[in-house]
Amino acid sequence: MAKRRIAVLFGGASQDYAASLQSAYSVLCALSKDKYDVIPIGITRAGRWLFFPGDYNEIPNGTWEQNSDCCSAVISPDPHHGGIIKVLDDGGFAHQRIDAVFPVLHGNYGGCGRIQALCRLAGVPVIGSGFEAANACNDLMLTYLLLERAGVKVPKYYYIERSELDSMDKHLPVIESELKYPLFVKASSCSESIGANVAADRDELLKAIKLAATHHHKVLIRECFQGREIECAVTGGAYSTTVSVVGEIKPTGRKEKSAILERSELVTAKLKKSLLTEITETAKKAFTALGCRGYARFSFILTSDELYLKKAVASPGLTEVSVFPSLMKESGIGYAELLDNILSSE
């Protein structure tokens, strides 16, 4: 059987550049050379696309960009080309057809649907969710709207457009009547590591909204919950899905070096069978409602009396110890097998 030619994209001009490098390194090292002809293409923080023919060990620390054998390479939007165009040192071009693009990218640059839309234009299959689902998962307001229509319970929320900042005197009383402090505030279509804050009162809320609005035109405000952090992973397509065991994120009591973030670990959730079934069925429903394909991770909050779906991630971390692969491993699907399953789902 002929090997499939897969372009693996990594890096990206986003805050999640470093996380993408770690995921891509794990993926590239694990892909079978007998099954796949891999074309690694890195995207620098500045947004430059480079074909990277070097040692994969240069990827995690970011030195891959300095490799002298790199050359410019882009996905041609012309479906006639069906793949990659490399720009050679002598100014010439080399065309290389590919069977699929695997965007191992996180955050706004590659996890929001832009790369997926480019692949749609190029007529090249993309591994994982298409641009509609990637965008829906990346934009939390869209996530909540679609999940609500599907009957999935999400946290109570409120959103404000950047253009409405001058009329906050009208919005603040409504927010405080509908939601209870503390409130979580974030740019709707950005990573939670960018401009996200918890507000304990009106002054903090107003500051958090203004900060979030500098990152995206929609600002989402939702209630903060005290509850158990539950995780579930789903793989497959529209007609057949596999759901992982249910995991739980638990704090270890140890602090990171910064003394700000508390370390946590993933363990198998110990819950009643009926609740485990509810979580897995809800994850499957959300996977379908958001139009996901290939793989996705779903984060829940379980309070004393309610289960809320907090977040959907269409391009989760893919290191061997990331939450998504860890859940699938606990379900009996090893890392190499998981990647094969994902690559066969486009």
Side-chain angles (χ1 to χ4, degrees):
M1 179 181 291
K3 293 193 290 185
R4 294 179 69 201
R5 184 172 291 164
I6 307 292
V8 175
L9 305 187
F10 63 90
S14 79
Q15 295 281 347
D16 299 287
Y17 171 87
S20 172
L21 297 188
Q22 303 304 317
S23 288
Y25 174 70
S26 293
V27 168
L28 289 166
C29 289
L31 289 177
S32 170
K33 294 180 174 59
D34 295 329
K35 297 178 181 178
Y36 309 107
D37 179 11
V38 177
I39 303 171
I41 297 178
I43 304 170
T44 70
R45 290 184 187 274
R48 189 179 180 201
W49 290 44
L50 298 171
F51 166 64
F52 173 68
D55 188 329
Y56 292 158
N57 289 313
E58 297 175 37
I59 294 176
N61 60 16
T63 59
W64 70 272
E65 294 183 28
Q66 284 76 52
N67 191 295
S68 60
D69 292 326
C70 286
C71 69
S72 293
V74 296
I75 299 172
S76 171
D78 186 342
H80 175 73
H81 294 143
I84 304 297
I85 293 179
K86 297 177 183 176
V87 182
L88 307 179
D89 290 339
D90 61 4
F93 298 88
H95 170 236
Q96 193 166 24
R97 289 190 172 274
I98 56 177
D99 294 309
V101 171
F102 189 4
V104 187
L105 300 162
H106 309 309
N108 259 358
Y109 193 88
C112 65
R114 296 175 186 174
I115 297 297
Q116 292 81 357
L118 172 59
C119 291
R120 173 74 68 84
L121 281 174
V124 177
V126 64
I127 303 300
S129 293
F131 74 91
E132 297 98 337
N135 181 53
C137 290
N138 193 64
D139 188 325
L140 195 57
M141 192 203 76
L142 289 179
T143 301
Y144 286 175
L145 286 173
L146 290 169
L147 291 179
E148 282 182 314
R149 286 183 63 87
V152 175
K153 184 178 283 293
V154 299
K156 291 180 67 176
Y157 68 96
Y158 192 94
Y159 86 93
I160 294 172
E161 290 282 347
R162 184 187 292 151
S163 60
E164 298 176 294
L165 289 181
D166 290 338
S167 57
M168 288 306 300
D169 288 345
K170 178 183 72 175
H171 288 285
L172 289 173
V174 179
I175 293 170
E176 292 175 328
S177 68
E178 295 184 2
L179 306 176
K180 295 179 181 178
Y181 288 107
L183 297 174
F184 179 70
V185 184
K186 74 179 293 291
S188 186
S189 190
C190 286
S191 167
E192 290 186 2
S193 63
I194 304 172
N197 282 284
V198 175
D201 54 39
R202 179 176 286 199
D203 287 341
E204 290 184 0
L205 176 60
L206 187 57
K207 291 177 183 177
I209 290 172
K210 289 180 178 179
L211 176 61
T214 64
H215 295 284
H216 194 259
H217 67 90
K218 291 197 295 286
V219 177
L220 186 131
I221 304 121
R222 65 166 172 79
E223 291 184 343
C224 288
F225 290 100
Q226 293 298 319
R228 299 169 69 175
E229 296 187 46
I230 304 298
E231 299 284 341
C232 192
V234 182
T235 61
Y239 303 105
S240 176
T241 55
T242 299
V243 185
S244 73
V245 299
V246 177
E248 180 173 1
I249 303 291
K250 287 203 167 186
T252 63
R254 293 176 290 147
K255 299 288 184 180
E256 300 282 6
K257 290 181 181 179
S258 65
I260 295 175
L261 299 175
E262 188 172 42
R263 292 181 65 87
S264 59
E265 62 181 352
L266 178 70
V267 299
T268 302
K270 296 181 179 179
L271 300 167
K272 293 180 180 179
K273 186 176 180 180
S274 59
L275 187 52
L276 291 172
T277 299
E278 180 184 353
I279 292 167
T280 56
E281 289 302 313
T282 301
K284 285 172 62 176
K285 181 186 289 188
F287 189 85
T288 301
L290 294 168
C292 296
R293 187 176 69 241
Y295 62 113
R297 193 188 95 226
F298 298 93
S299 300
F300 298 83
I301 288 291
L302 177 63
T303 67
S304 58
D305 55 0
E306 293 285 356
L307 175 72
Y308 300 90
L309 206 166
K310 182 178 69 171
K311 182 172 62 173
V313 185
S315 55
L318 283 176
T319 71
E320 288 197 57
V321 295
S322 297
V323 171
F324 175 81
S326 296
L327 288 170
M328 299 310 295
K329 181 179 179 181
E330 192 66 25
S331 306
I333 301 175
Y335 189 64
E337 181 185 358
L338 173 62
L339 292 178
D340 283 342
N341 291 346
I342 291 173
L343 286 167
S344 64
S345 63
E346 47 85 13

